[in-house]
Amino acid sequence: NAAKAKELTAKAGYPNGVPLTYNYIKGIQDEAVEIVKILNASGFKVTAKAFATPREFVTANSKGDYDLFGGAFNSDLGDGLDIFANLLGSKTSQFPSYNNPAFDKLLTDASQAFKPEDHVKKVQEINRYTKDNALWVPISVGATSVYYRNNYTYTLDAVNGLAGAYLWKLGESQTSSVSN
């Protein structure tokens, strides 16, 4: 609701909007342009700062050179803890930008909860904490579809990690499409 957002921004003491910089990786995070448009329509004054490579993006973010940024993570585990730890944990994140010891303790507690029902409760607690304490907006963006021939088999070994990571590594070196 852009009108309500403008009203609340003005009520918070920013009648002329809030100037912000939004960092994103050009050609990878295409949703950034739409997000900036929505924020600007809502009373903010967002400048998009596009980086040509992920390395440039991470370097700028690790120096704190941003107000907002889009982060992405593809979980091999399908577990909320994996996503929260890799995007927001100060010691576990690929973008260490949220330094909060209370949050890091929640991550540790959840990673040590081995009973499934205890683990789920801890991850739900992390989700509530994040909602209440971090400016974090989850956005689901489909990025890639990969197809393999139906008779493709592989052996999973511990060195290559989980199936998703294993296939990602394999697919990364694939230069031509496979048709059946």
Side-chain angles (χ1 to χ4, degrees), residues 18-132:
V18 178
L20 300 169
T21 302
Y22 186 100
N23 289 358
Y24 74 100
I25 307 167
K26 188 175 182 173
I28 294 176
Q29 296 175 313
D30 297 328
E31 72 281 358
V33 174
E34 188 62 29
I35 291 169
V36 168
K37 238 190 274 184
I38 291 166
L39 289 170
N40 284 333
S42 300
F44 296 91
K45 294 183 177 187
V46 181
T47 302
K49 189 172 180 184
F51 291 87
T53 67
R55 182 176 303 279
E56 292 171 6
F57 171 80
V58 170
T59 299
N61 288 353
S62 66
K63 292 177 184 174
D65 185 19
Y66 68 91
D67 294 306
L68 306 166
F69 71 89
F73 183 73
N74 184 16
S75 174
D76 289 325
L77 304 175
D79 183 339
L81 176 61
D82 187 37
I83 295 167
F84 285 118
N86 279 286
L87 290 176
L88 293 175
S90 70
K91 295 175 180 35
T92 54
S93 173
Q94 57 184 321
F95 307 110
S97 58
Y98 186 60
N99 188 2
N100 183 321
F103 183 76
D104 286 335
K105 178 163 180 3
L106 291 172
L107 294 174
T108 299
D109 292 348
S111 71
Q112 294 173 354
F114 293 108
K115 286 187 186 172
E117 60 275 10
D118 294 341
H119 179 77
V120 168
K121 285 178 186 172
K122 293 290 184 183
V123 173
Q124 288 171 336
E125 187 178 343
I126 290 168
N127 193 41
R128 283 190 297 276
Y129 188 91
T130 304
K131 179 184 70 66
D132 294 340

Side-chain angles (χ1 to χ4, degrees), residues 40 81 147 156 159:
N40 284 333
L81 176 61
Y147 299 92
L156 180 64
V159 175

